[in-house]
Amino acid sequence: MNTENSSLEDDRRPSFVVGVGASAGGLEALQDFFGNMPEISGLAYIVIQHLSPDFKSLMDQLLARFTRMEIKLAENGMAVERDTIYLITPKKNMTIAQGCLQLTEQNRGHFLNLPIDIFFKSLAVDAKDRAIAVILSGTGSDGAAGVLEISERGGLVIVQDPATAQFNGMPISAQATNVVNRVLHSKEIPHFIAQYATNPVIPTY
C-alpha cells in the first residue's frame, strides 16, 4: 500500500516548478504564456502577482479562457502537482517548502511588500535546479533579488523582453542582475521552457 501511495505521489510530482512573477500589465503576458503552454508538460506553475487587498481577483476565470490546465487558488499546505496552475490570493505572501505552498498574512505596515522575491527565494531553496523563474510585465524591481537566488542554486531564469512588456520595470530590473538566461517575448517563453524541460542544460549566450 505504501509503495502504491509513493508511486502515485511520484506521478503527480512536477519535473520542474515554474514561478511566474507579474504585476502591472501582466494579464496580457500571462495570457500569452499560458495560451502557448502545452496542457500536459509535467511542470507546475505558480503565479505571483501584486494584487489589490480590496478586490477579489478574477485571474482564475481570465486564465481559464486560455488554458485547459487545472487552475487552483493557493491554500496553506497545498501540495504542488504537475500540469496545474496555482494563483496567489489577495493579502497573502506565499512560499514553498517540501513541495507544499505556505501562506502568510502580508505586513500592511510601512514596509514595501515584495511577494515575488519572497516566493522565488523559497523556490530556490526548495526546488534548487528544478526551479524556473519567469519575470513578466510589471513596475518596480520585485523579483530581481529572487532570480539571483534561483540562479545561484542552479535554476533557470527567463525574462519577458522589456520592449514587449506593457510595463518594463520588473524585466529591466531582473536583467540588471546579469543572471538572466533568456529574454523572450511572452509567447515564446513556453516553447523555450518545454525544450529546456526535455534537456535541462542551463543556456548561456
Side-chain angles (χ1 to χ4, degrees):
M1 185 70 175
N2 289 339
T3 302
E4 291 179 1
N5 286 341
S6 176
S7 176
L8 186 63
E9 289 175 3
D10 288 343
D11 287 343
R12 293 175 178 174
R13 184 173 182 262
S15 55
F16 292 88
V17 181
V18 184
V20 184
S23 184
L27 175 58
E28 180 180 348
L30 286 166
Q31 290 172 342
D32 283 346
F33 180 86
F34 287 112
N36 288 280
M37 183 64 72
E39 179 184 350
I40 299 175
S41 65
L43 285 62
Y45 308 88
I46 302 169
V47 179
I48 310 296
Q49 294 177 275
H50 297 164
L51 298 175
S52 169
D54 302 316
F55 299 97
K56 177 184 176 182
S57 174
L58 300 176
M59 184 57 67
D60 54 338
Q61 299 173 39
L62 295 171
L63 288 184
R65 301 174 185 172
F66 294 85
T67 180
R68 295 177 62 184
M69 273 189 281
E70 185 172 7
I71 301 172
K72 295 182 178 181
L73 298 179
E75 296 179 7
N76 196 48
M78 180 177 278
V80 172
E81 298 180 352
R82 59 174 53 201
D83 303 316
T84 306
I85 301 168
Y86 299 86
L87 303 179
I88 195 170
T89 50
K91 303 180 183 179
K92 301 291 185 180
N93 284 327
M94 184 159 65
T95 57
I96 185 169
Q98 297 183 325
C100 295
L101 301 176
Q102 310 293 329
L103 299 180
T104 56
E105 293 290 334
Q106 289 184 355
N107 184 342
R108 306 305 298 173
H110 298 295
F111 298 101
L112 181 63
N113 190 65
L114 300 172
I116 301 171
D117 278 335
I118 289 169
F119 180 77
F120 279 5
K121 289 176 181 180
S122 72
L123 179 62
V125 172
D126 198 57
K128 300 181 176 63
D129 61 354
R130 293 174 46 248
I132 299 175
V134 177
I135 294 287
L136 301 177
S137 174
T139 60
S141 62
D142 195 9
V147 300
L148 278 169
E149 298 199 18
I150 294 282
S151 178
E152 286 173 2
R153 292 177 181 263
L156 180 72
V157 178
I158 306 172
V159 169
Q160 181 180 1
D161 185 344
T164 70
Q166 191 172 345
F167 293 89
N168 61 16
M170 283 179 16
I172 287 175
S173 294
Q175 273 191 279
T177 64
N178 294 318
V179 300
V180 173
N181 301 113
R182 277 294 184 272
V183 178
L184 299 167
H185 191 289
S186 49
K187 292 180 179 179
E188 299 171 335
I189 296 173
H191 178 67
F192 184 78
I193 289 177
Q195 286 186 317
Y196 175 80
T198 62
N199 183 29
V201 177
I202 296 291
T204 56
Y205 281 107

